[in-house]
Amino acid sequence: FWFCWLPESAMLLLPGAPAVGMPRRWPIGALSIFVALLHPTPTRSQFGGGGGGYNPPAPICPAFKCPSGEKAVGKVDHKIWSYGCKDSGMNVFNAGSFDPNNPMGGMQQKSVDKCCVERDLCKQTCGMTSKMCHDNFQKCSTKICKGDQNCQLQAMMSEMMSEPYEDVDKDKKYDPEATKCRVFNKGQADSCMCVPKDDFKGSVESKLKSFYSKFNSEKLDSSGDIKDVDEVWKKWKGKEADMFLALATKYKAKAVEIRQKPKPPPYEPPPKGKAKAKAKEEAAEEDGSSEAEEASSVGAEDQGGDSEEKAFEKLKAELEKKKKQAKQDEDYDKAGDFKEELDALTKSEVERLKKLKSIAVEEEKYVEAKRIKQRLNALGEL
């Protein structure tokens, strides 16, 4: 049999809709033990023991974008930070390798903390790609682990464990696709700024001077300018992001702030009534119940909206027409007034539909509740 030990800060993610009163993220105690009474061969194959380690595909995240005529450059005052992953390991050992004279010997493992710090460093270097950060981490962890199961498990857990708890929206369902780029996108947004293309070279030099002044002043002359700046551009032109990544990696002991990850907040279940209503609604929408499908097809004509909805659509169309005409007449003050009327009208309709949706859920009219929800989503895009 196999033992799995997780650290106190570990969180078990439960995708999809949970049972009533259950959180999607479950805290695992400091010495929680999971015993899998399974044949060990699949485990070895999955985590690399004889079968090769699993390397997840690199996430393809959008690059930081600037308006036309501008380029992204690293912020001079951005401070790179990381939680590392010293406590993100999940240790595994089997009874066959258990030594009674050293019972914890099987739990001693290599650490990929260095790789985690460098991955965070990469994500916070303006201009790097998510694939490059992913591939660098894979190379680093593979070099350190060298087939060690516990080390490979730690590497697999590290991405999830490196995310700050405070950034998680508790009201949203866990979406694995959305989380793939969340930390990378935030790192790029925090570290990048847009400058006119003509100012790009000067901005890069300003950031480089700032870096050297903090971490290696010998690279600056007596006037505070970069020594051999022409050689720098000859070597790194078009690869500015790679240059700053190489520098930050070289001086990471000084350049990267290692923070203590806060403990997750205690789980607070929603009020019973709210949890029950939410569970019913999600069950009707996601489980694909035959009754809901049949009601949707049979009563489609009866579910087409009420008279107030139709009145709203008519008034909205009139206001949009007037606003468009005002813009064509270049009467922007009047166009602004029509826009304010449209916003107020839409806000009022949203509040009305939210109340109707709550009533429909309470009365177990799930098809109607779903129709109203779709209507609310459409209004949210206006």
Side-chain angles (χ1 to χ4, degrees), residues 13-263:
L13 300 182
L14 302 178
V20 175
M22 292 174 62
R24 292 189 176 88
R25 286 180 172 251
W26 279 90
I28 308 300
L31 295 180
S32 294
I33 303 177
F34 285 73
V35 182
L37 299 175
L38 302 172
H39 193 278
T41 302
T43 308
R44 285 198 300 268
S45 297
Q46 181 178 359
F47 297 122
Y54 168 69
N55 293 326
I60 306 301
C61 305
F64 181 84
K65 291 185 178 180
C66 289
S68 177
E70 297 185 358
K71 290 186 68 174
V73 67
K75 295 178 181 177
V76 173
D77 57 350
H78 176 67
K79 178 66 176 178
I80 298 173
W81 64 274
S82 173
Y83 288 138
C85 56
K86 290 182 179 179
D87 67 342
S88 66
M90 181 171 70
N91 296 330
V92 176
F93 64 91
N94 61 43
S97 64
F98 180 74
D99 180 2
N101 296 319
N102 184 17
M104 299 303 292
M107 305 299 285
Q108 297 171 358
Q109 65 174 347
K110 302 173 181 178
S111 174
V112 294
D113 181 62
K114 167 183 178 292
C115 307
C116 293
V117 172
E118 291 180 359
R119 179 177 56 195
D120 290 339
L121 192 159
C122 178
K123 291 177 179 179
Q124 295 175 55
T125 299
C126 184
M128 295 306 298
T129 66
S130 57
K131 185 178 186 305
M132 179 63 74
C133 297
H134 172 89
D135 291 347
N136 287 349
F137 177 80
Q138 292 297 323
K139 291 177 184 177
C140 178
S141 60
T142 299
K143 183 178 179 180
I144 290 177
C145 293
K146 295 180 180 177
D148 182 273
Q149 271 186 356
N150 287 332
C151 182
Q152 289 173 336
L153 281 167
Q154 184 191 34
M156 292 176 65
M157 292 282 289
S158 66
E159 180 75 22
M160 178 183 73
M161 301 305 300
S162 67
E163 295 190 10
Y165 300 119
E166 61 269 22
D167 287 345
V168 177
D169 189 339
K170 297 178 182 178
D171 295 329
K172 290 186 178 180
K173 296 177 186 177
Y174 173 69
D175 183 352
E177 293 300 320
T179 59
K180 287 181 180 179
C181 295
R182 187 166 62 90
V183 175
F184 175 81
N185 290 343
K186 186 177 187 305
Q188 292 293 293
D190 290 346
S191 62
C192 293
M193 65 178 184
C194 296
V195 298
K197 289 183 178 180
D198 293 342
D199 297 339
F200 176 75
K201 184 176 181 180
S203 297
V204 170
E205 292 183 7
S206 294
K207 180 170 176 60
L208 187 57
K209 283 193 287 186
S210 175
F211 185 92
Y212 280 143
S213 67
K214 296 174 184 175
F215 308 117
N216 189 355
S217 58
E218 292 182 0
K219 294 289 185 177
L220 303 177
D221 60 25
S222 57
S223 301
D225 294 324
I226 303 168
K227 295 179 180 178
D228 302 321
V229 66
D230 292 336
E231 291 298 319
V232 171
W233 281 109
K234 184 178 179 181
K235 180 179 180 180
W236 295 106
K237 185 176 181 180
K239 301 181 293 182
E240 294 82 8
D242 294 325
M243 175 183 70
F244 284 113
L245 177 62
L247 285 171
T249 302
K250 181 178 180 180
Y251 297 100
K252 66 176 179 288
K254 300 177 182 179
V256 181
E257 175 189 349
I258 302 300
R259 297 181 183 177
Q260 183 69 33
K261 186 173 183 179
K263 294 184 181 296

